[in-house]
Amino acid sequence: VKIKNPPKAVFSGLITIKSLWIMSVIWIFVLAANIGIYSITPLYLTKELQLSIGYANTILGLSRLGAIVVAIVCGFLIDRLNLRRMMFLVMIISSFLTVSMGVVSANYIGIVLFLQALFVTAFFPVGLVAIAKTFTREMRSLATGIINAISMAFGGGLIPYFLGISGDTVSFRLGITILGVFVGLASILVFHLKELE
């Protein structure tokens, strides 16, 4: 929506809104469970689970196919279900599946990886609608930019780096499991977004 005569000092007003920072934290951990997991999975599958490179590439590629359908399904469900509950449900299932990635045997990793990618990807259409409902029209574009920038810096950059360190020093399993726990903890923050009531 093009805003006519936008108010001045939108940025200074926006950064004082608690929901901006809550939403940023939520997006950081969900993005880490998506991009972060995706970036270290090839090493995890080959180095730690001892899978062949060809098989690892196949299951990694297939795991992302569900994303094509999930965005359409989410768009359909958002209009019919409670947005806050849907966000929480998607995040808590993603948390469980991310933790499962760190504990299951190599025999089941393909199934878990597919389901994890499916539910983590489902968050993003829901999350964008939540941003639209949380912020006013004047603040919406800037809020989306800030949330995406913060989540990419931490969830897409810093956390994958820590996952790599975990893989080098202890194990990828430990890093992935801890990340899954944090995704679950971040899901509780959904209930502090009062604008979604």
Side-chain angles (χ1 to χ4, degrees), residues 26-187:
I26 290 170
W27 275 72
I28 283 169
F29 289 109
V30 175
L31 196 71
N34 188 9
I35 293 176
I37 294 291
Y38 182 78
S39 63
I40 59 100
T41 295
L43 271 176
Y44 173 51
L45 297 177
T46 54
K47 179 184 173 185
E48 202 158 304
L49 299 185
Q50 303 297 315
L51 299 176
S52 67
I53 293 173
Y55 182 65
N57 285 335
T58 300
I59 64 173
L60 181 61
L62 290 175
S63 73
R64 300 290 149 165
L65 289 178
I68 300 168
V69 178
V70 76
I72 298 168
V73 172
C74 281
F76 177 80
L77 292 175
I78 287 169
D79 292 333
R80 289 158 179 79
L81 300 175
N82 180 282
L83 184 60
R84 177 186 275 179
R85 287 179 187 168
M86 192 170 173
M87 275 182 77
F88 175 76
L89 189 63
V90 166
M91 287 184 70
I92 207 70
I93 294 172
S94 298
S95 169
F96 171 76
L97 291 168
T98 304
V99 170
S100 298
M101 271 191 68
V103 297
V104 298
S105 68
N107 296 330
Y108 302 103
I109 194 66
I111 297 167
V112 174
L113 185 59
F114 178 83
L115 293 173
Q116 194 267 356
L118 192 73
F119 279 93
V120 168
T121 306
F123 170 83
F124 296 103
V126 179
L128 287 171
V129 173
I131 290 173
K133 292 199 172 190
T134 301
F135 302 98
T136 63
R137 288 188 301 171
E138 293 82 8
M139 293 181 169
R140 199 171 293 154
S141 299
L142 187 56
T144 304
I146 291 171
I147 291 166
N148 276 305
I150 292 171
S151 60
M152 280 302 296
F154 291 94
L158 192 62
I159 292 177
Y161 173 71
F162 286 136
L163 289 172
I165 291 175
S166 174
D168 286 339
T169 56
V170 186
S171 71
F172 284 113
R173 285 185 181 273
L174 177 64
I176 291 169
T177 303
I178 291 171
L179 174 58
V181 170
F182 274 103
V183 173
L185 293 173
S187 69

Side-chain angles (χ1 to χ4, degrees), residues 4-42:
K4 294 181 179 179
N5 302 319
K8 295 179 180 178
V10 171
F11 180 77
S12 59
L14 178 62
I15 61 173
T16 60
I17 297 175
K18 183 181 175 183
S19 295
L20 176 75
W21 305 108
I22 292 173
M23 195 74 80
S24 296
V25 171
I26 290 170
W27 275 72
I28 283 169
F29 289 109
V30 175
L31 196 71
N34 188 9
I35 293 176
I37 294 291
Y38 182 78
S39 63
I40 59 100
T41 295

